[in-house]
């Protein structure tokens, strides 16, 4: 493994010497002494009569950069891998109004034809669940580049932001480590400010929501043996009186954006709860604090192992994957943060705004979701869906706190809208992660990673400024053209990605490949002009020639094209694999006790085992799942243990009944 210090050293930011730092994003009162937080605790009895010890003076996970550690960049910073390139006009798209126009035109070319007009096969060999597992991973390590921070896509014309200003102003609202803070919240979990996420009776477990059982709901309960406690916990008990009753009470509300990621988040909650049960059975004398932290670390070990040995193995170029495994196995090998920084982890902008957005091209127009909305019962491949023969894209947003369910709080109320997930929308994970290609038709797999996005992604309805809700014309006028333009961009995913890359001064693919040839131990060559034009129509090809994008290619577009040309859309190409894989590997290797907790926290008191599974030398054979079931090799083993998917033998018996079988 090549080890060197790259010339693009990040500038070191010095922590504030103020003795009274302000904790951003929290209403709590915190006492700071320089860069040290005073942590106190109290023992109380909650409304259920349960004795609870909670930290009452503790840092919130959204705290100010100035109160970070003395290491310089931290995992709460966004920064550039290629800082010199971001400041070099020759390595960027031209800074001119014409570039904005061309990027919008490119975005329109990236919208696929409607299903009935598509030519060729758009399906990959990747099970569709990996699309949304990837989204969950993204939400675990980053949040913030989609926020305005004073930078806006709402204007017809805008100038790119200076890289120094980008780094200064955009803060990662996640820890950037694969620590599942998106489900656990604060590091203290139920013993701190995020206790609303947890069961008030059994505080070391998460709350779980119950599905709507209304008899008028059409369809059947998928896998009824798994019960009807298969929704996210929601605000229908009024715990948050100022919020919608349908809002999920979870660590990251982005994970209730669509039903698939919502059900994946639920799976992780239930996995934690099952791990608690298993540990409690083996060690009944543990205190609540000891049990919680032991269970959380057990969950995290399984989760991180799967990221490397399942998710990345499937998504990366095979040569790059093997190379990254060597990096992970060698404790002395350099990480991407050593090669392109001062060794301290940060969230690379080239990763978060470009390379890792490859999953957008994998989103389908529709899904085989369960027996109600899909291909019917698994016992009969000639069956039809009990309700509909597919779950189309818009339906995935209909029963989420961030989507259609918010209409339940409309004025006047709309009683037909549910406040919890209807039982007929419980997911069947076997349809999303089964890797036996012979069991499913090609239309049940993710779309290829390529430069064409599914049609619905050009007209997204969620997370936009809702002009339709404005009853008065003066309200629309007050919103101005900026709101209308903002909606146009935000609803068109390809346009949003391309313009944000330009706004944040992301270097072109040509500049990055040239830079990597000096430091990378892999042979990464840029696509030729012929390869960049491969598989596109005459009008698209003419546009690419005239736009200048063949000479200066937007990084996100290039990552997709490389996967399409070099891997037939079934995994990332070398450049995409390098940025994604090394970022993942670097974050895992850099998750040490010092980096994870910041140095003012008493690590031994709060979580003595915290660090990535790599540093614990953990293997699945040591884990609670393997001990209880004798198997842990992929994501389906986690889902089965969480009891959100059928046991393997039961599933295989069901499939065996299907004598027609594509299964």
């Amino acid at each position: 493994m090549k080890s060197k210090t790259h010339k693009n050293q990040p500038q070191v930011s010095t922590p504030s010497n103020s003795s009274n730092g302000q904790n951003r994003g929290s209403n709590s009162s915190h006492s700071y002494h320089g860069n040290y937080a005073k942590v106190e605790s109290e023992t109380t009895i909650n409304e259920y009569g349960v004795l609870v010890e909670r930290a009452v003076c503790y840092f919130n996970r959204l705290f100010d950069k100035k109160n970070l550690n003395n290491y310089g960049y931290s995992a709460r910073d966004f920064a550039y891998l290629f800082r010199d390139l971001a400041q070099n006009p020759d390595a960027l798209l031209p800074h001119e109004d014409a570039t904005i126009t061309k990027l919008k035109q490119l975005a329109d070319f990236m919208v696929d034809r409607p299903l009935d007009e598509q030519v060729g096969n758009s399906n990959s060999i990747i099970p569709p669940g990996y699309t949304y597992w990837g989204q969950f991973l993204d939400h675990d390590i980053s949040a913030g580049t989609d926020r305005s921070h004073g930078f806006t896509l709402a204007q017809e014309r805008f100038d790119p932001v200076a890289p120094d200003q980008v780094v200064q102003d955009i803060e990662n609202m996640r820890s950037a480590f694969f620590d599942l803070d998106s489900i656990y919240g604060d590091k203290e979990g139920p013993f701190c400010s995020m206790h609303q996420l947890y069961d008030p009776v059994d505080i070391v477990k998460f709350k779980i929501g119950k599905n709507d059982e209304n008899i008028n709901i059409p369809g059947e309960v998928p896998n009824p043996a798994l019960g009807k406690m298969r929704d996210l916990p929601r605000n229908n008990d009024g715990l948050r009186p100022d919020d919608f009753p349908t809002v999920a009470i979870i660590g990251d509300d982005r994970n209730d954006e669509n039903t698939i990621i919502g059900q994946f988040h639920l799976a992780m909650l239930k996995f934690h709860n099952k791990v608690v049960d298993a540990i409690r059975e083996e060690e009944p004398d543990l205190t609540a604090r000891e049990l919680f932290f032991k269970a959380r670390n057990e969950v995290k070990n399984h989760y991180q192992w799967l990221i490397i040995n399942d998710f990345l193995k499937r998504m990366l170029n095979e040569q790059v994957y093997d190379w990254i495994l060597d990096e992970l196995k060698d404790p002395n090998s350099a990480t991407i943060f050593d090669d392109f920084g001062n060794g301290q982890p940060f969230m690379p902008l080239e990763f978060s705004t470009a390379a890792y957005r490859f999953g957008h091209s994998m989103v389908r127009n529709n899904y085989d979701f369960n027996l109600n909305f899909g291909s019917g019962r698994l016992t009969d491949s000639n069956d039809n869906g009990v309700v509909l023969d597919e779950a189309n894209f818009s339906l995935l947003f209909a029963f989420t706190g961030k989507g259609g369910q918010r209409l339940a709080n409309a004025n006047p109320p709309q009683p037909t809208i549910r406040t919890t997930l209807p039982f007929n929308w419980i997911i069947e994970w076997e349809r999303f992660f089964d890797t036996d290609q012979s069991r499913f038709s090609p239309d049940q797999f993710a779309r290829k990673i390529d430069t064409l996005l599914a049609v619905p992604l050009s007209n997204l309805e969620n997370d936009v400024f809702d002009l339709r809700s404005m009853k008065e014309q003066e309200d629309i006028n007050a919103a101005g053209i900026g709101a209308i333009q903002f909606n146009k961009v935000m609803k068109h995913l390809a346009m949003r990605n391309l313009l944000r890359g330009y706004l944040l001064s992301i270097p072109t693919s040509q500049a990055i490949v040239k830079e990597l040839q000096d430091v990378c131990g892999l042979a990464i060559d840029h696509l030729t002009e012929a390869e960049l034009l491969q598989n596109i129509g005459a009008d698209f090809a003419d546009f690419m020639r005239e736009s200048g994008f063949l000479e200066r290619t937007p990084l996100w577009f290039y990552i997709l094209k490389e996967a399409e040309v070099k891997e037939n859309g079934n995994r990332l190409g070398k450049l995409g694999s390098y940025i994604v894989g090394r970022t993942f590997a670097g974050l895992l290797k850099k998750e040490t006790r010092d980096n994870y907790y910041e140095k003012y926290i008493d690590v031994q008191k709060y979580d003595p085992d915290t660090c990535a599974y790599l540093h614990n030398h953990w293997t699945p054979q040591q884990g609670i799942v393997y001990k209880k079931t004798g198997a842990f090799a992929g994501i389906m083993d986690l889902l089965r243990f969480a009891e959100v998917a059928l046991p393997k033998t039961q599933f295989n018996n069901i499939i065996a009944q299907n004598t027609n079988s594509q299964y």
Side-chain angles (χ1 to χ4, degrees):
M1 184 65 54
K2 194 168 185 176
S3 176
K4 64 173 286 184
T5 300
H6 193 265
K7 62 184 179 181
N8 289 320
Q9 293 283 1
Q11 294 180 352
V12 176
S13 57
T14 305
S16 170
N17 294 322
S18 168
S19 61
N20 189 25
Q22 192 67 35
N23 183 11
R24 183 190 306 174
S26 173
N27 295 322
S28 304
S29 174
H30 297 268
S31 174
Y32 286 92
H33 302 279
N35 290 321
Y36 292 81
K38 182 180 179 182
V39 180
E40 300 173 350
S41 64
E42 65 179 12
T43 300
T44 61
I45 296 177
N46 70 13
E47 61 269 34
Y48 290 84
V50 178
L51 197 66
V52 180
E53 181 184 359
R54 288 197 175 113
V56 294
C57 293
Y58 195 73
F59 72 98
N60 187 277
R61 57 198 167 93
L62 310 184
F63 50 78
D64 198 291
K65 286 183 180 181
K66 294 180 180 178
N67 289 315
L68 291 175
N69 56 36
N70 290 312
Y71 301 128
Y73 276 148
S74 87
R76 293 192 183 277
D77 289 318
F78 282 102
Y80 295 91
L81 292 171
F82 306 97
R83 187 179 183 85
D84 288 353
L85 296 182
Q87 295 176 323
N88 179 0
D90 293 335
L92 304 171
L93 297 175
H95 287 189
E96 56 191 33
D97 289 350
T99 299
I100 297 175
T101 300
K102 292 173 185 176
L103 288 172
K104 291 179 178 179
Q105 292 172 324
L106 176 58
D108 287 335
F109 274 114
M110 293 180 69
V111 179
D112 203 355
R113 299 177 182 182
L115 283 174
D116 58 356
E117 299 177 15
Q118 288 180 13
V119 178
N121 180 15
S122 64
N123 300 305
S124 72
I125 60 172
I126 306 167
Y130 285 84
T131 309
Y132 297 90
W133 184 10
Q135 186 182 22
F136 181 89
L137 295 175
D138 176 51
H139 293 176
D140 188 27
I141 59 176
S142 70
T145 57
D146 288 348
R147 300 169 188 263
S148 68
H149 302 279
F151 319 147
T152 180
L153 300 176
Q155 305 302 319
E156 287 287 343
R157 296 290 179 262
F158 53 83
D159 294 323
V161 182
D164 286 343
Q165 186 180 352
V166 172
V167 172
Q168 175 62 35
D169 291 352
I170 299 184
E171 181 180 0
N172 189 3
M173 311 304 281
R174 283 275 167 256
S175 71
F177 296 121
F178 292 105
D179 58 0
L180 289 169
D181 62 346
S182 59
I183 71 165
Y184 288 109
D186 282 329
K187 296 180 177 72
E188 278 284 273
F191 309 104
C192 198
S193 60
M194 303 298 285
H195 60 86
Q196 289 183 343
L197 308 180
Y198 296 86
D199 188 327
V201 176
D202 193 350
I203 62 169
V204 296
K205 286 185 172 184
F206 286 108
K207 290 179 180 176
I208 302 296
K210 186 176 182 180
N211 299 101
D212 190 334
E213 299 182 77
N214 190 298
I215 60 173
N216 295 319
I217 297 173
E220 303 173 14
V221 178
N223 298 331
L226 301 177
K228 296 179 184 176
M229 296 294 291
R230 285 188 274 170
D231 188 20
L232 296 170
R234 300 192 182 276
N235 194 38
N236 43 34
D237 59 0
L239 187 63
R240 298 178 182 174
D242 296 330
D243 215 336
F244 292 99
T246 55
V247 167
I249 308 298
I250 56 178
D252 189 329
D253 66 358
R254 295 176 299 170
N255 287 349
D256 192 30
E257 176 196 63
N258 64 72
T259 302
I260 301 175
I261 194 173
Q263 290 279 282
F264 193 91
H265 190 104
L266 171 70
M268 294 304 300
L269 301 182
K270 299 197 77 166
F271 181 64
H272 167 90
N273 289 356
K274 294 301 294 184
V275 169
V276 166
D277 289 341
I279 295 175
R280 183 178 270 154
E281 180 182 336
E282 291 188 350
E283 301 179 72
D285 295 330
L286 292 177
T287 67
R289 181 180 291 276
E290 290 169 338
L291 176 57
F292 172 76
F293 284 125
K294 185 161 188 175
R296 190 178 72 175
N297 283 317
E298 187 78 8
V299 169
K300 195 174 70 169
N301 285 338
H302 285 82
Y303 167 70
Q304 292 181 345
W305 187 90
L306 285 173
I307 291 171
I308 297 298
N309 294 281
D310 189 346
F311 184 80
L312 288 186
K313 185 176 182 180
R314 180 169 291 278
M315 303 313 306
L316 301 188
N317 167 275
E318 293 179 358
Q319 182 186 359
V320 178
Y321 176 73
D322 290 341
W323 192 74
I324 286 170
L325 282 185
D326 291 339
E327 176 181 316
L328 287 167
K329 292 173 183 176
D330 181 359
N332 299 316
S333 65
T335 70
I336 199 168
F337 306 113
D338 300 303
D339 286 345
F340 297 95
N342 63 1
Q344 295 307 313
F346 57 89
M347 180 50 58
L349 285 159
E350 297 88 344
F351 166 89
S352 60
T353 66
Y356 198 62
R357 298 194 176 219
F358 72 89
H360 292 167
S361 71
M362 297 166 60
V363 174
R364 295 185 57 81
N365 293 278
N366 48 61
Y367 289 91
D368 180 13
F369 190 85
N370 62 19
L371 80 166
N372 299 306
F373 302 94
S375 59
R377 298 167 184 81
L378 295 178
T379 53
D380 185 358
S381 57
N382 290 328
D383 198 11
N384 296 318
V386 176
V387 181
L388 295 172
D389 290 340
E390 63 185 20
N392 66 44
F393 186 78
S394 63
L395 285 175
L396 297 179
F397 296 85
F399 300 102
T400 66
K402 291 178 69 67
Q405 288 215 52
R406 290 198 171 190
L407 295 175
N409 208 46
N411 186 16
Q414 298 186 28
T416 58
I417 303 298
R418 314 290 177 186
T419 58
T420 59
L421 184 70
F423 67 79
N424 61 352
W425 276 100
I426 295 171
I427 201 168
E428 287 185 74
W429 284 118
E430 294 81 4
R431 300 173 191 251
F432 282 81
F433 281 114
D434 194 292
T435 56
D436 186 343
Q437 304 294 320
S438 66
R439 287 179 174 168
F440 297 103
S441 70
D443 288 339
Q444 289 169 285
F445 289 86
R447 285 174 58 96
K448 289 181 177 179
I449 306 170
D450 60 19
T451 55
L452 292 176
L453 274 64
V455 174
L457 297 184
S458 64
N459 190 30
L460 294 168
E461 294 296 333
N462 59 317
D463 288 337
V464 298
F465 188 74
D466 191 1
L467 293 172
R468 295 170 301 175
S469 67
M470 298 182 177
K471 298 180 177 62
E472 303 297 333
Q473 184 64 41
E474 56 264 28
D475 291 334
I476 298 176
N477 294 337
I481 188 65
I484 298 172
Q485 168 65 15
F486 181 72
N487 271 7
K488 179 181 177 182
V489 173
M490 294 302 288
K491 292 170 69 172
H492 195 316
L493 188 56
M495 190 178 297
R496 188 197 313 178
N497 289 345
L498 291 167
L499 290 178
R500 184 169 286 110
Y502 174 69
L503 177 71
L504 300 182
S505 298
I506 302 302
T508 65
S509 60
Q510 286 84 355
I512 290 176
V513 169
K514 183 177 180 181
E515 190 81 0
L516 282 178
Q517 290 173 345
D518 180 47
V519 299
C520 178
L522 291 162
I524 298 179
D525 297 318
H526 199 278
L527 295 179
T528 64
E529 178 177 316
E531 288 173 324
L532 285 170
L533 296 176
Q534 190 171 311
N535 301 328
I536 65 176
D539 290 344
F540 195 172
D542 289 342
F543 166 78
M544 290 295 290
R545 294 187 186 97
E546 295 167 2
S547 65
F549 289 147
L550 293 178
E551 293 77 29
R552 296 190 189 187
T553 308
L555 182 58
W556 177 62
F557 177 88
Y558 181 86
I559 296 297
L560 301 181
K561 194 67 184 181
E562 181 191 44
E564 174 189 337
V565 171
K566 296 297 187 180
E567 300 288 348
N568 196 30
N570 292 316
R571 59 182 70 237
L572 289 168
K574 282 189 175 180
L575 179 60
S577 296
Y578 180 90
I579 296 175
V580 171
R582 290 208 73 199
T583 298
F584 272 50
L587 292 173
L588 285 167
K589 290 192 72 173
K590 293 295 183 179
E591 189 190 323
T592 62
R593 290 174 176 83
D594 284 342
N595 282 331
Y596 184 75
Y597 272 108
E598 315 304 339
K599 58 187 204 175
Y600 48 71
I601 297 301
D602 183 346
V603 172
Q604 292 301 316
K605 177 178 178 181
Y606 289 99
D607 198 352
D609 295 323
T610 285
C611 56
Y613 87 98
L614 294 165
H615 304 295
N616 291 328
H617 307 291
W618 185 89
T619 64
Q621 289 71 29
Q622 299 170 271
I624 198 75
V625 177
Y626 189 89
K627 290 177 182 177
K628 293 291 185 181
T629 67
F632 191 78
I635 187 64
M636 278 302 298
D637 292 317
L638 183 150
L639 298 173
R640 292 184 187 109
F641 190 81
E643 295 185 355
V644 295
L646 292 174
K648 190 172 185 177
T649 53
Q650 186 176 349
F651 173 68
N652 287 338
N653 288 338
I654 290 173
I655 296 301
Q657 299 174 39
N658 181 0
T659 56
N660 292 313
S661 178
Q662 71 185 6
Y663 294 103

